[in-house]
Amino acid sequence: MASGLFKNTAKNGVWFGSYTDMSGKRKQFSTSTKVEREARKVFQTKLQAILDEEDRPKLKVVSLSSFSEEYLLSRRGERISESQLKELRASLTFLGRVVGDVPLHAITVQDCERFITRGWRPEGWKSLYTARKHYQNLHAAFGTAVRWKHIRTNPFAEIKKPKPVERMPEVLTRRELSILFDSLPDAKYIDRRIRNLVLMAAPTGLRLGELLHLERRDVDFSKKVLFVRVKCDWTPKSKKPRVVPLSEDAIRALRSQLAENSQHDNEHIRESQYIFPNPHGFPLTSPIIERPLKAKLTELFPGREFKPVHVFRHTFGSYLCERGVALQEIQKAMGHGSVKTTELYARLRGNDFSHSLETLNAAPSLIRASYTSPEPFKETVPICQQTI
């Protein structure tokens, strides 16, 4: 690149720099000074900046909507859950309502900060938890856009993550669990399926996705444990396998559901390897469980906000903390990536409890209810005994 410095007499003797760009065009710029020594310093600085800019790889101009579809397709290939995909799509869609369908490189830090602090509706976000969730989703998305050479920097990296006031999640007492369980209908197979899922969720702390993708081979009745596995078509949130101890309540629910499945008229349900299959023998979808449970929780406990099924996970963690189980052990049983997440449940902390299973079985049952199980299930499929 040819370059040089000259005094422009037509501009009152101000020094100008000249250079030839990559396309061969001759260009010039003002140093804004009449002193040659100062002009040389300005010239070198500006010329270096121009060289750096031209050496950079060209960006791929892509709109927000096009990137959103490309990004979601990529994340789907990572086998994340449908609920996670739904959250990611919502974050990108809401951002688009604020900035429009503009090229990614046109989205500024100010645009992103306005979205995170004010939301996309006039009334703003319902809570800082919502703002933080969108921040996390978009920070990851725009980080991918940097790697894909759509933008040079991540605008969300320059924004502070919203820090809502920490609060204990909503949990149910043993009495409330019993009230809920006794109020659930049991006339039909689908009703008893929900009862068994509740009885299974409360003493294990499993996520809904983990429950719905649970297979017969994942259960070891002899050792009273179940395995949360990474599977070819589904991955747990932590993306890591783990072993979960089974209490007597959970074992009773498992045997009851397997017996229900084995006696069902639908051949797909009878032969399915899933504990909670749909009529085609595949895992149930979340809304089939969440909707009736949310309606029942709202009916029984008005004025309180629960996340259906996840409330049992919060109850499980809180209950173990109150019983004195070590936080590290609770973290492993619940599959938390960090012990900081587990600390939310630490109302009461114990120092030296090493067996969650003994604690659960020695303590009063989480659910006190009259329960009639169908004819005991006879295991015909070998249960996987291997450890992870």
Side-chain angles (χ1 to χ4, degrees):
M1 177 185 286
S3 61
L5 190 67
F6 67 93
K7 181 183 287 188
N8 192 334
T9 55
K11 297 290 185 180
N12 298 323
V14 174
W15 288 88
F16 274 68
S18 66
Y19 69 98
T20 304
D21 66 12
M22 301 294 289
S23 61
K25 293 182 179 180
R26 187 74 175 172
K27 295 185 177 181
Q28 63 184 34
F29 58 86
S30 172
T31 63
S32 302
T33 181
K34 297 179 182 180
V35 181
E36 183 178 2
R37 186 174 181 180
E38 294 179 1
R40 290 192 180 281
K41 291 181 180 179
V42 174
F43 174 71
Q44 292 296 332
T45 302
K46 285 192 173 183
L47 186 61
Q48 186 61 50
I50 292 169
L51 288 170
D52 291 343
E53 182 66 25
E54 291 199 350
D55 285 343
R56 281 181 167 184
K58 298 297 181 183
L59 294 176
K60 301 175 185 177
V61 179
V62 60
S63 67
L64 177 59
S65 61
S66 298
F67 167 72
S68 298
E69 294 304 318
E70 185 182 11
Y71 177 68
L72 292 172
L73 187 62
S74 171
R75 294 305 305 274
R76 187 183 293 275
E78 298 174 14
R79 301 203 307 271
I80 65 174
S81 68
E82 288 299 321
S83 62
Q84 287 177 289
L85 278 174
K86 185 177 179 181
E87 282 186 358
L88 292 174
R89 184 180 294 278
S91 296
L92 291 163
T93 300
F94 294 158
L95 178 63
R97 293 180 183 178
V98 172
V99 302
D101 190 18
V102 298
L104 281 189
H105 68 267
I107 299 176
T108 65
V109 175
Q110 290 82 359
D111 292 332
C112 300
E113 192 164 24
R114 185 172 74 253
F115 173 75
I116 294 299
T117 56
R118 303 178 189 175
W120 62 277
R121 294 180 295 185
E123 60 270 26
W125 301 118
K126 290 184 178 180
S127 73
L128 285 176
Y129 288 95
T130 306
R132 183 173 65 174
K133 176 59 69 175
H134 288 302
Y135 172 88
Q136 292 170 333
N137 291 340
L138 293 171
H139 190 286
F142 276 72
T144 300
V146 172
R147 289 193 293 105
W148 289 352
K149 302 296 188 294
H150 293 326
I151 53 177
R152 290 197 172 101
T153 59
N154 185 345
F156 285 92
E158 301 182 39
I159 303 173
K160 291 183 179 180
K161 181 192 292 188
K163 292 185 179 180
V165 177
E166 288 189 351
R167 61 182 182 184
M168 278 299 299
E170 193 73 51
V171 299
L172 296 170
T173 64
R174 289 197 297 273
R175 181 175 178 275
E176 288 170 338
L177 277 171
S178 297
I179 291 173
L180 170 64
F181 189 77
D182 286 335
S183 67
L184 293 173
D186 62 353
K188 302 177 181 178
Y189 167 81
I190 57 176
D191 298 328
R192 294 189 292 273
R193 180 176 61 195
I194 291 181
R195 285 166 62 90
N196 286 329
L197 190 140
V198 170
L199 190 61
M200 178 73 186
T204 61
L206 292 175
R207 300 180 178 94
L208 179 55
E210 294 167 349
L211 285 164
L212 298 184
H213 288 84
L214 192 63
E215 301 178 34
R216 298 184 187 186
R217 68 186 182 93
D218 298 331
V219 182
D220 188 336
F221 286 109
S222 63
K223 295 182 180 179
K224 296 185 178 181
V225 296
L226 65 80
F227 302 100
V228 177
R229 305 177 189 273
V230 177
K231 301 176 181 178
C232 61
D233 58 346
W234 175 82
T235 304
K237 184 178 179 180
S238 63
K239 295 182 172 58
K240 296 179 181 178
R242 73 179 191 275
V243 181
V244 179
L246 290 174
S247 69
E248 295 302 325
D249 283 336
I251 292 174
R252 182 173 60 174
L254 280 168
R255 292 190 181 278
S256 174
Q257 186 58 40
L258 287 170
E260 292 279 357
N261 294 346
S262 67
Q263 297 170 17
H264 201 279
D265 295 335
N266 187 319
E267 181 181 359
H268 297 298
I269 291 179
R270 290 199 307 271
E271 296 181 356
S272 176
Q273 293 301 308
Y274 292 101
I275 306 294
F276 300 100
N278 66 14
H280 302 287
F282 299 108
L284 288 170
T285 55
S286 301
I288 292 178
I289 299 297
E290 290 179 321
R291 287 171 185 166
L293 265 181
K294 184 172 183 179
K296 180 59 68 174
L297 287 166
T298 303
E299 174 191 337
L300 294 174
F301 312 110
R304 296 170 65 182
E305 293 186 4
F306 296 104
K307 291 184 178 180
V309 181
H310 211 72
V311 66
F312 305 125
R313 180 172 170 82
H314 291 324
T315 300
F316 172 78
S318 177
Y319 182 69
L320 288 184
C321 277
E322 291 176 355
R323 297 295 301 179
V325 179
L327 289 179
Q328 288 75 12
E329 189 173 353
I330 300 174
Q331 176 192 2
K332 292 179 182 178
M334 299 186 71
H336 287 152
S338 170
V339 74
K340 291 183 179 179
T341 306
T342 315
E343 287 175 358
L344 290 174
Y345 305 115
R347 292 194 185 98
L348 298 174
R349 297 186 182 184
N351 293 324
D352 189 25
F353 279 79
S354 58
H355 299 290
S356 297
L357 180 60
E358 283 87 1
T359 302
L360 281 170
N361 285 331
S365 175
L366 274 174
I367 298 178
R368 297 175 181 274
S370 55
Y371 187 89
T372 304
S373 175
E375 183 180 348
F377 171 71
K378 297 180 180 179
E379 298 172 17
T380 56
V381 180
I383 301 300
C384 180
Q385 299 282 338
Q386 62 184 359
T387 57
I388 296 180

